[in-house]
Amino acid sequence: MDFRMDEKFLIDCFKEIVEVPSPVGYDVQFKPVLERYAAMFGQTLTYDRRGTPYITLEGEDNSKTVLLGAHCDTLGLMVRHIENNGTLRVRALGGINYSNIEGSTVTVFTRDGRKYTGMMVCNSHSVHVFLDARTLTRNDETMYILLDEPVTSKEDVLALGIRNGDIVHIAPDCEFTEKGFLKSRFIDDKAAVACAFGVLKYLRENGLKPKYRTLLAFPFREELGQGGSYVPPEVEEYIAVDIGLIGPEHAGNEHAVSICCKDKNGPYDYELISRLANYAEKAGVDYNLDVFLNYSTDGNAAMMGGQNLRAAAFGMACWCSHGRERTHIDGIVGTAKLMLAYMLDI
């Protein structure tokens, strides 16, 4: 079956939601956006005590409940110390590669609602000044935020309302080319979130229901390995829709969907992986089975948390994961199609 996805909607949705800050553990700005998109397709969100949002879709057969999860949290930073010269030291939220964020614009959000931009700078920030500018390791101890404010002291920064524990968002620097390539931070995993809404759009416009009762989950703590550690007890299958990887000894490419057979913690459910491959073939989705080394998903977190379910993972393959990533509209559309094929059990 050929699902004709609205490619423009998928990209437009991504472009909007990727600009909304949601570093891991920080959901206050993104939840209203999720609620608005859900309402667009006649759905409402419910929340568990951890703050994870869900959309519940009744199925043709409600004797079984399945879940597809697309995490909303992104990599980010947290202010840990204000230096006497007015610069900010930070800690990573998630698996930041500091070499990939040097020179990036960042935004600091205070607890009283103010926001301030700045730039990520290295201690040895200039080749004209520092002999180790090219070789110094970039990490928590060697990088800091240079605020775009006329501050020269810790007191100046405190007067802005900035405190330890404030959340820092990294600018996504999103670009979609005329050849169909998407370049942006946080394709992991906001491209999957866009796919979830693309699927809802398709179901509504075509008057379709999933085969089984289906939950769409949008966790905010995947980058810490915690997003799927709690799952509603009725869920029998957890599909983590997350990026695939590209590299030596990897099968993935950005025009296809990667189905993960094993990540750093172990294998996913054999029968469910085989079923996903079969769905992909029937739906005409280009896919690859793959094994990932330094990688995990909310599906794995669900299994590690002792949940009584099967788990699997798939998604569009990306270059430069945890940096400024790149994929292609083909991989995004393929991911949405495989989600639909699974939900409709076709």
Side-chain angles (χ1 to χ4, degrees):
M1 182 173 183
D2 183 20
F3 304 115
R4 296 190 176 275
M5 303 303 302
D6 187 338
E7 295 184 12
K8 183 177 185 301
F9 173 83
L10 290 172
I11 294 300
D12 287 347
C13 179
F14 176 82
K15 285 181 175 179
E16 178 181 2
I17 65 178
V18 79
E19 297 291 343
V20 182
S22 58
V24 56
Y26 179 74
D27 58 14
V28 295
Q29 296 193 46
F30 204 76
K31 281 183 175 177
V33 177
L34 286 175
E35 290 172 356
R36 176 164 54 81
Y37 268 96
M40 194 182 301
F41 304 112
Q43 303 297 327
T44 58
L45 294 183
T46 57
Y47 298 90
D48 62 26
R49 294 189 188 94
R50 292 156 49 102
T52 300
Y54 301 92
I55 292 172
T56 302
L57 303 174
E58 296 302 312
E60 299 290 349
D61 176 359
N62 287 329
S63 66
K64 177 179 177 179
T65 298
V66 301
L67 182 152
L68 294 97
H71 71 87
C72 296
D73 59 307
T74 67
L75 304 178
L77 303 161
M78 180 177 284
V79 176
R80 67 174 170 89
H81 177 65
I82 303 170
E83 298 279 17
N84 290 331
N85 64 0
T87 58
L88 307 180
R89 296 289 177 175
V90 295
R91 291 288 188 220
L93 294 174
I96 289 282
N97 180 349
Y98 277 97
S99 297
N100 284 331
I101 63 172
E102 184 172 2
S104 295
T105 294
V106 298
T107 304
V108 180
F109 294 97
T110 68
R111 290 189 181 271
D112 62 5
R114 286 178 276 182
K115 62 181 183 180
Y116 302 97
T117 63
M119 185 170 74
M120 287 303 303
V121 175
C122 181
N123 289 349
S124 298
H125 56 80
S126 170
V127 296
H128 296 107
V129 180
F130 302 96
L131 294 179
D132 63 347
R134 292 186 177 91
T135 60
L136 184 66
T137 300
R138 272 59 174 170
N139 57 34
D140 283 351
E141 305 305 321
T142 62
M143 300 284 287
Y144 60 89
I145 294 174
L146 188 65
L147 287 168
D148 299 332
E149 297 288 332
V151 294
T152 59
S153 69
K154 181 175 182 177
E155 290 70 28
D156 290 342
V157 175
L158 292 172
L160 298 176
I162 295 173
R163 299 290 187 273
N164 291 352
D166 285 344
I167 293 291
V168 180
H169 168 65
I170 305 164
D173 193 15
C174 178
E175 177 185 2
F176 184 63
T177 76
E178 60 182 32
K179 300 295 186 180
F181 292 97
L182 179 64
K183 299 184 288 187
S184 180
R185 299 188 192 281
F186 315 138
I187 291 174
D188 176 11
D189 195 30
K190 288 188 175 176
V193 176
C195 287
F197 288 115
V199 165
L200 282 178
K201 183 175 187 291
Y202 187 95
L203 292 173
R204 181 171 178 128
E205 291 177 351
N206 290 275
L208 296 172
K209 295 173 68 174
K211 174 68 176 295
Y212 301 110
R213 181 174 181 266
T214 300
L215 305 183
L216 298 177
F218 303 96
F220 282 95
R221 301 183 73 86
E222 191 274 347
E223 296 294 355
L224 299 180
Q226 303 171 2
S229 56
Y230 169 79
V231 180
E234 68 271 22
V235 172
E236 297 183 33
E237 296 178 356
Y238 195 120
I239 306 294
V241 188
D242 210 331
I243 64 165
L245 307 179
I246 295 172
E249 300 186 7
H250 287 69
N253 72 82
E254 58 198 323
H255 299 278
V257 177
S258 293
I259 301 174
C260 181
C261 298
K262 177 188 178 300
D263 66 17
K264 69 178 182 180
N265 292 309
Y268 288 87
D269 186 81
Y270 187 90
E271 185 277 332
L272 188 49
I273 293 167
S274 299
R275 201 169 359 126
L276 288 171
N278 188 48
Y279 290 139
E281 290 172 6
K282 288 182 178 179
V285 174
D286 190 8
Y287 76 96
N288 295 290
L289 299 175
D290 221 336
V291 174
F292 299 147
L293 173 64
N294 190 28
Y295 176 95
S296 187
T297 71
D298 283 332
N300 190 285
M303 291 191 293
M304 298 288 284
Q307 306 296 325
N308 184 24
L309 47 72
R310 299 174 182 264
F314 68 81
M316 66 295 297
C318 290
W319 288 91
C320 309
S321 61
H322 280 201
R324 186 168 183 253
E325 299 156 341
R326 194 183 87 162
T327 192
H328 192 272
I329 185 62
D330 292 347
I332 297 171
V333 169
T335 299
K337 287 182 176 182
L338 186 50
M339 292 174 71
L340 268 170
Y342 170 78
M343 291 168 69
L344 297 173
D345 194 26
I346 291 175

